[in-house]
Amino acid sequence: MKRIFQLLPFSMLVAVMMLLTFSSCQKEDTEYYEDLKFSKETYFVPLGHELHVNIQRGNGDYEVVAANEALFEWDFSNENYFPGYFKFKGKKIGTTTLTVADKKNAAKVNLTIHVVDPFQFFQVLEIMPQVKIKDNASSSKLEEIRQEILKYRNFEKQQVILLKANANRDYYIFKDDKSISVDQILENGLFQINLFTDYSPSGLTMKKEGSSTSQHFQFYFPGNGVSDYLKVIIPTSAQNQELKASNRNYIADSPLPPNDFFYIYNDVISEIAKKYPEVESASVFHYLHILFRIQESETAIDQNLLLKQ
């Protein structure tokens, strides 16, 4: 190569060097585009409600085609979140494909969209005994009483509860958020929710399959309004009312955000007072987290649970 350069006229040598330099700069200046990626390829959209789906990787500008536009509405935004997110709203129960193409690099992803009966997942984060001793009664057995109250808990920590607002209003309980499949059901049955707009406790009733008795819970939120995420499985007739939190002064100073958490609790004073007559009130509180982002997590959700009507 050195010998060839020596035989070239100086002007040609300069031209060759400039061409090599330009070619090198062009390669360095080539823009890099991210591959298009979603956390999953299948999503479940509650009928009549919204589901937000984040794009994990992409370039912010997409072409979107739905195989069946009658099943759901969609909207895209990259405001406050890049490379963007979709907002789906279920219009009709069914299954279709959504093709998302990145305009920058022509990468395509096919998403399976199931529009299903409204549903919501909850996880039991904490179980807490609440007790009040009568005036002038000794508090020496307070810790013992708390442990006795915990024996009446209805769930275990980390358990996941699925409520489906289908015709039957089915509920399912799983060990944790890693075992959400039909072969991992610990308990299932029917549920009913009653809401009140005054300060009376709102109610949740769960009846285990095969049982003749029901469990009745009261519930409330640590804020002044019922969470929008819980409204997904609340009857439409109740949603048309002005929903307020029940017993909002019970734990008025709770620092928990109102949209993601709530409590269900059952009164066990009749059971506890038999052994501890000094107790004035006793309840078991179950502190629940609304898993509204579970479809963005690594959890594999068995589609048979949500597709079953």
Side-chain angles (χ1 to χ4, degrees):
M1 180 66 73
K2 183 177 180 182
R3 180 179 178 85
I4 295 174
F5 278 173
Q6 288 176 343
L7 297 175
L8 289 173
F10 179 75
S11 59
M12 291 185 64
L13 181 61
V14 172
V16 170
M17 295 301 294
M18 290 180 64
L19 181 62
L20 291 174
T21 302
F22 176 76
S23 176
S24 176
C25 291
Q26 192 175 40
K27 289 181 180 179
E28 292 177 358
D29 293 341
T30 300
E31 189 173 355
Y32 172 75
Y33 296 117
E34 289 275 7
D35 290 333
L36 182 60
K37 184 179 179 181
F38 290 77
S39 62
K40 294 183 179 180
E41 296 180 351
T42 300
Y43 294 94
F44 301 92
V45 182
L47 179 65
H49 297 275
E50 293 182 353
L51 172 69
H52 289 208
V53 174
N54 291 337
I55 301 174
Q56 288 191 325
R57 291 204 304 264
N59 300 289
D61 192 10
Y62 312 97
E63 182 178 352
V64 184
V65 177
N68 187 346
E69 296 182 352
L71 297 187
F72 66 99
E73 301 172 353
W74 63 270
D75 189 22
F76 169 77
S77 175
N78 55 18
E79 184 178 355
N80 300 323
Y81 182 86
F82 190 87
Y85 64 91
F86 284 95
K87 182 169 62 177
F88 302 129
K89 183 173 183 179
K91 295 169 56 180
K92 181 180 178 182
I93 289 179
T95 298
T96 189
T97 300
L98 187 75
T99 301
V100 182
D102 195 315
K103 292 183 179 180
K104 296 289 187 180
N105 59 6
K108 287 186 179 181
V109 171
N110 290 320
L111 304 178
T112 300
I113 306 295
H114 299 291
V115 179
V116 297
D117 287 312
F119 66 94
Q120 194 57 273
F121 287 96
F122 311 92
Q123 187 168 41
V124 183
L125 292 189
E126 193 61 72
I127 302 172
M128 299 163 289
Q130 298 287 324
V131 59
K132 182 179 180 181
I133 304 296
K134 294 178 181 178
D135 293 340
N136 301 321
S138 172
S139 60
S140 60
K141 293 184 178 181
L142 197 56
E143 184 56 33
E144 179 182 330
I145 295 171
R146 289 195 179 101
Q147 294 304 313
E148 186 70 20
I149 291 173
L150 284 176
K151 294 179 182 179
Y152 294 91
R153 62 185 179 272
N154 301 91
F155 308 100
E156 300 294 337
K157 290 176 63 174
Q158 301 307 312
Q159 283 185 342
V160 168
I161 304 166
L162 165 62
L163 301 184
K164 288 183 58 178
N166 55 358
N168 291 329
R169 302 193 74 81
D170 298 315
Y171 80 83
Y172 303 88
I173 299 176
F174 308 91
K175 179 180 178 181
D176 52 44
D177 62 353
K178 306 300 181 185
S179 58
I180 300 178
S181 61
V182 291
D183 58 347
Q184 296 293 322
I185 297 173
L186 300 178
E187 179 182 318
N188 67 289
L190 309 179
F191 79 95
Q192 182 179 357
I193 290 181
N194 298 306
L195 288 173
F196 303 93
T197 56
D198 57 16
Y199 297 124
S200 300
S202 296
L204 168 64
T205 301
M206 302 177 76
K207 184 176 181 180
K208 184 177 180 180
E209 183 177 5
S211 174
S212 59
T213 60
S214 301
Q215 297 184 73
H216 302 281
F217 304 92
Q218 297 172 333
F219 70 91
Y220 74 98
F221 296 85
N224 289 328
V226 175
S227 165
D228 289 337
Y229 299 111
L230 185 62
K231 290 179 184 178
V232 172
I233 47 87
I234 291 175
T236 304
S237 58
Q239 291 186 36
N240 293 333
Q241 304 174 26
E242 182 184 357
L243 302 178
K244 297 180 180 179
S246 58
N247 282 8
R248 64 176 181 177
N249 295 321
Y250 204 5
I251 301 183
D253 297 327
S254 173
L256 303 174
N259 284 335
D260 301 350
F261 303 88
F262 72 106
Y263 294 92
I264 60 173
Y265 61 100
N266 55 331
D267 190 337
V268 294
I269 181 58
S270 59
E271 293 86 352
I272 297 299
K274 294 175 184 178
K275 187 174 181 180
Y276 302 98
E278 66 269 32
V279 174
E280 182 175 308
S281 64
S283 300
V284 183
F285 276 69
H286 304 84
Y287 165 37
L288 301 185
H289 177 210
I290 303 175
L291 300 179
F292 65 95
R293 300 299 304 180
I294 193 168
Q295 296 196 61
E296 292 291 298
S297 69
E298 296 179 358
T299 299
I301 302 173
D302 191 331
Q303 67 176 16
N304 292 319
L305 288 167
L306 299 180
L307 294 182
K308 178 183 176 183
Q309 301 298 304

